[in-house]
């Protein structure tokens, strides 16, 4: 019976050297030769079916990042979406795709996802359409409370933060320094939450356009786009073009 591969056991084409980590100068060389993997900051947009609001928000957010950063990558910012009752594998609603096209954003290739524990665990920031969605995400656990907001709530908090207090972007870094900036922004927003309350509960809601005419979808798209604008400015340090 063939021995399993392991320390000192070779496979086809391998050399029988023990698996001992390099040390000293060899360790320094190994670290220098290792590829630099940019840090990641995952932003998760959540709605109900993941076919209307959260796809619009995800793709508008990605589009805004591309515009601000000049198409040179997203600086380690990864934007995704899912639904609390997500239609797994479903395309976005036709009117949602039309709204994205209105803004020059790309609706192609989108597939709906049901919100899973792993999505919440991986997310550094969760932005929901409504307070009910926020409560559902937080109820899943995973210490999500301090990094979960409604989109409009996060907009309100971000607008109250002095952006000069955030780490400056650094083009010399693999992630352009945006990951540290984003983490600092979320911490600052969480600290403000108890002090800067919504004027009324409805002001933190993005209503569901499912089944509505294109005119209502467009009004929801406008709400989402306006809510995202200061968020993307805060994340990137780049204001929208006039």
């Amino acid at each position: 019976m063939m021995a399993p591969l392991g320390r000192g056991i070779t496979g086809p084409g391998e050399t029988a050297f023990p698996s001992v980590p390099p040390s000293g100068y060899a360790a320094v060389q190994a670290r220098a030769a290792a590829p630099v993997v940019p840090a990641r900051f995952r932003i998760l947009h959540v709605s109900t079916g993941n076919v209307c609001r959260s796809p619009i928000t995800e793709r508008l957010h990605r589009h805004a990042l591309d515009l601000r950063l000049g198409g040179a990558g997203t600086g380690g910012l990864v934007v995704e979406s899912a639904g609390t009752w997500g239609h797994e594998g479903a395309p976005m609603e036709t009117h949602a795709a039309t709204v994205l096209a209105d803004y020059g954003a790309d609706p192609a290739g989108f597939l709906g996802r049901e919100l899973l524990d792993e999505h919440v665990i991986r997310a550094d920031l969760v932005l929901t359409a409504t307070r009910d969605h926020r409560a559902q995400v937080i109820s899943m656990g995973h210490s999500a409370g301090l990094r979960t907001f409604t989109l409009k709530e996060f907009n309100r908090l971000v607008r109250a933060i002095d952006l000069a207090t955030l780490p400056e972007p650094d083009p010399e870094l693999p992630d352009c320094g945006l990951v540290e900036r984003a983490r600092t922004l979320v911490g600052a927003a969480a600290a403000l939450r108890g002090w800067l309350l919504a004027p009324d509960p409805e002001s933190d809601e993005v209503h569901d356009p499912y089944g509505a005419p294109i005119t209502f979808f467009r009004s929801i798209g406008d709400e989402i786009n306006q809510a995202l604008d200061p968020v993307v400015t805060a994340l990137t340090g780049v204001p929208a073009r006039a």
Side-chain angles (χ1 to χ4, degrees):
M1 181 175 181
M2 183 178 292
L5 297 182
R7 178 171 298 198
I9 306 297
T10 62
E14 296 180 333
T15 306
F17 291 111
S19 302
V20 178
S23 59
Y25 182 65
V28 173
Q29 285 184 310
R31 285 195 295 270
V36 177
V37 179
R40 292 285 183 265
F41 183 92
R42 293 185 177 274
I43 302 167
L44 178 67
H45 292 290
V46 174
S47 63
T48 303
N50 195 214
V51 292
C52 296
R53 288 168 291 181
S54 50
I56 291 173
T57 315
E58 174 196 318
R59 293 304 175 90
L60 284 180
H61 199 157
R62 289 187 186 182
H63 182 59
L65 288 173
D66 287 341
L67 291 176
R68 306 294 176 92
L69 300 176
T74 59
L77 304 179
V78 179
V79 184
E80 304 170 312
S81 65
T84 55
W85 289 87
H87 301 296
E88 192 72 31
M92 72 175 73
E93 284 289 296
T94 301
H95 287 340
T98 300
V99 168
L100 290 174
D102 289 344
Y103 287 94
D106 185 7
F110 181 86
L111 294 175
R113 301 193 304 174
E114 181 179 358
L115 181 66
L116 302 176
D117 290 87
E118 66 190 66
H119 301 144
V120 177
I121 291 169
R122 293 195 310 168
D124 298 288
L125 171 62
V126 184
L127 297 176
T128 69
T130 69
R131 291 166 295 147
D132 282 346
H133 296 131
R134 182 185 63 194
Q136 289 179 66
V137 171
I138 293 172
S139 73
M140 295 172 72
H142 315 301
S143 303
L146 292 178
R147 51 194 167 90
T148 303
F149 310 79
T150 74
L151 172 62
K152 288 188 174 180
E153 174 191 22
F154 196 65
N155 165 286
R156 183 178 70 253
L157 298 171
V158 162
R159 286 187 288 112
I161 294 170
D162 181 359
L163 301 187
T165 63
L166 300 178
E168 284 292 323
D170 184 352
E172 298 300 317
L173 296 175
D175 65 353
C176 299
L178 297 186
V179 169
E180 181 186 0
R181 182 181 176 93
R183 288 174 178 158
T184 304
L185 179 67
V186 172
L192 276 177
R193 179 155 35 195
W195 299 92
L196 192 63
L197 302 178
D200 59 82
E202 284 297 301
S203 65
D204 279 346
E205 304 281 288
V206 176
H207 293 292
D208 192 356
Y210 185 78
I214 185 61
T215 51
F216 188 63
F217 266 84
R218 285 190 165 119
S219 70
I220 292 299
D222 187 54
E223 279 185 40
I224 291 170
N225 192 57
Q226 290 187 43
L228 280 172
D229 181 70
V231 172
V232 178
T233 296
L235 287 168
T236 63
V238 181
R241 296 174 184 174

